[in-house]
Amino acid sequence: QVQLVESGGGLVQTGGSLRLSCAASGGTFSSYAMGWFRQAPGKERELVAAISWSGSSTYYADSVKGRFTASRDNAKNTVYLQMNSLKPEDTAVYYCAAAPSMQVGYNSWGQGTQVTVSS
């Protein structure tokens, strides 16, 4: 399995931006689809964005569509989540995960990074 480490979280005001990074090691990164999940206190973990192994296909939850952009650099074994126009409801711990396909099978997870959006 691939090992994943997220970075880039922090505190930002409403309307601000953050870019999360997820560095992979120990596996063939370019063979995995990658997903970004988030979990807010008292809520279930949800998939907010995913990107195919080549980067040619992406998925976004309706709640982030048009504001978040997933991208990847297979040469750097890194996937990114650019988050713009942040809202207080985006506050959560964000996790990256690896899977054989974009929709199912996420079996490698990072430790998470906290994103807090103040109103």
Side-chain angles (χ1 to χ4, degrees), residues 7-89:
S7 61
L11 174 64
V12 64
Q13 291 186 336
T14 297
S17 297
L18 283 174
R19 189 176 82 153
L20 305 183
S21 299
C22 172
S25 62
T28 307
F29 176 73
S30 60
S31 68
Y32 291 98
M34 298 297 296
W36 284 99
F37 292 75
R38 69 185 180 188
Q39 187 166 21
K43 295 189 177 181
E44 293 187 355
R45 187 175 298 188
E46 62 171 337
L47 176 65
V48 296
I51 186 166
S52 64
W53 66 271
S54 66
S56 61
S57 296
T58 54
Y59 160 84
Y60 299 99
D62 288 343
S63 57
V64 307
K65 202 170 293 183
R67 300 188 298 121
F68 289 13
T69 302
S71 61
R72 65 190 297 162
D73 185 339
N74 286 343
K76 295 182 178 180
N77 288 353
T78 302
V79 63
Y80 306 97
L81 185 67
Q82 178 67 44
M83 306 185 295
N84 298 329
S85 302
L86 283 162
K87 305 175 181 181
E89 51 264 43

Side-chain angles (χ1 to χ4, degrees), residues 4-7 93-96 109-113:
L4 304 170
V5 178
E6 302 96 336
S7 61
V93 178
Y94 284 72
Y95 301 87
C96 66
W109 294 83
Q111 83 288 352
T113 186

